[in-house]
Amino acid sequence: MSVKTILKMGDPRLLRMAQPVTRFDTDDLHLLITDLLDTMRAADGAGLAAPQIGVDLQVVVFGTNAPNPRYPEAPIVPRTVLVNPVITPLPEVDGGLVREEEDWEGCLSVPGLRGKVPRFWRIRYTGFDPFGDPIDLTVEGFHARVVQHECDHLIGKLYPMRVRDFSQFGFTSVLFPELADSPDD
């Protein structure tokens, strides 16, 4: 087990564009994924991207097998390792419109803060697993939000850069006192 230090907002490494993975099923890639999963679990995160631990590769992990203390009301998201992801916003099945939804987000790289962030409600994400096998899923709601949040890290974006209304941004302990003991405080 190797829990890594999570970079914090202000570190310039979080603003870089991550590079695509070109070799799959390597010892280095598997070690990186183990480090990401161990670090995410230790921090009670819903996801983590390689740039958050200082690695400039397009690798994200996300998911929760049980209710997450940082997002106690959120549905369970299957544990996933996604390499070289591509996100495509999708219209609602019956309405034909691509819908955005604002909801609260936090980030292990922005500890102690939460903000309302617009995200596409329904997306398709594609990419690869660690062995180079394709992944192609259509998801919505919280699952879609988590994937978009983590993939933003691969293009040098942190969620505060997406906040539209800063009256909906602040300290978790003030906005959500019931979460005051969560690890991002």
Side-chain angles (χ1 to χ4, degrees), residues 155-175:
I155 60 170
K157 278 201 182 283
L158 297 170
Y159 84 87
M161 298 167 163
R162 294 206 183 269
V163 171
R164 291 180 180 155
D165 177 359
F166 278 88
S167 71
Q168 303 273 320
F169 179 73
F171 289 98
T172 305
S173 59
V174 174
L175 295 165

Side-chain angles (χ1 to χ4, degrees), residues 68-87:
N68 185 295
R70 295 180 65 238
Y71 300 95
E73 303 300 319
I76 292 172
V77 174
R79 185 79 32 123
T80 303
V81 175
L82 185 59
V83 180
N84 298 344
V86 175
I87 293 175

